[in-house]
Amino acid sequence: MRRKIPSSSALTAFEAAARHGSFARAAEELSLTEGAISRQISRLEAFLGVALFERVGNRVRLLPNRVRYANQVRELLDRLDRDSQSLIGQPNDGASLEIAAIPTFAMRWLIPRLSRFQQQHPNITVHLSERMDPFVLAGSGFEAAIHFEHPAWTGMRTYPLLQEVLVPVCHPSLAKKAKGRPQLDALPRLHRRQNPDAWQHYALQTGISLTHPAMGAHYDLHAMLIEAALAGLGVALVPRLYVETELASGRLVAPWPAAKSVSKTFCLILPEPIELSGEPIQAFARWILDEARNPQPLSLSREASIGS
């Protein structure tokens, strides 16, 4: 049966106009005239049999009950672009994987180890995208996700990888400012914006007294916290697995105890069991599970490059 699908030109114009809330800005982005955008939107509205925008003089506004459609079109166009890019330059006998991952985990743990996977499977190309929040894996265009254990993954297959144990770290010069054992309460503390109560929980778990535990600079990502700690801006409470290299090299120090409880568990999420998955994702799943269960030190050259 023939599919009833609008033209890609109309969908692209609609997505840009909905995102910008302006035909003029959509035209500028797509290197078209404003009239061309307007005509594409009119054709899409005629195809769908519904109005998409409210026109008020020279301005347009996406109708509230069309926002969901705009988001769906954006996701479909992003997926089509991602799938097309993954095929460009891929050899005929090769394969590719689309993996979604928490950005700092990808940067600090996964990417430094990917060369080992490439050595074992040179015909498989791994494409990484960042996803901060859980999402519906089925139909997303991703073969797997690496994320925290979460109820949102119900129905998916989750395989535990590593535990997120938080530890305070700072630059050695900052620790030396305090006499003897550094007094944590006397040093500036850094915070991750998504977990503003982390220091308060840490103080309760360890029995370390902290005056005004919420005071200090806030950052969005653990990666930013680590860079701030390396720059001597304060003490960062971060997952130890993210800073093993810096601690081993002495670029960061951790003279305080780690948090007593495990806050979260990193997992590999698949839409179906490993044994029922395609060969490329089977290879990746078995490799990353082995890396997590049997950690191996990174090469010296790799260690030197991380965080530089």
Side-chain angles (χ1 to χ4, degrees), residues 120 161 284-296:
Q120 296 176 28
L161 293 173
F284 179 82
R286 288 167 178 157
W287 169 79
I288 195 171
L289 287 169
D290 184 65
E291 282 283 335
R293 293 167 182 166
N294 304 289
Q296 302 176 31

Side-chain angles (χ1 to χ4, degrees), residues 195-207 213 237 259-261:
N195 193 9
D197 298 327
W199 277 112
Q200 184 175 355
H201 293 318
Y202 176 81
L204 292 173
Q205 291 177 18
T206 60
L237 189 59
K260 294 179 180 178
S261 66

Side-chain angles (χ1 to χ4, degrees), residues 246-280:
E246 286 77 11
L247 292 173
S249 66
R251 297 180 66 210
L252 290 175
V253 295
W256 308 279
K260 294 179 180 178
S261 66
V262 175
S263 55
K264 294 179 182 178
T265 301
F266 292 99
C267 293
L268 172 69
I269 300 99
L270 301 177
E272 56 188 358
I274 293 176
E275 60 271 15
L276 298 181
S277 303
E279 291 184 7

Side-chain angles (χ1 to χ4, degrees), residues 10 13 56 76 84 86 122 151 161 176 200 231 248 267 281 291:
V56 183
L76 289 171
S84 299
S86 68
L161 293 173
K176 290 178 181 178
Q200 184 175 355
C267 293
I281 195 64
E291 282 283 335

Side-chain angles (χ1 to χ4, degrees), residues 3-26:
R3 290 186 173 91
K4 191 180 175 100
I5 301 175
S7 72
S8 60
S9 298
L11 291 175
T12 301
F14 166 65
E15 188 278 330
R19 178 162 35 85
H20 290 296
S22 165
F23 285 5
R25 293 180 64 186

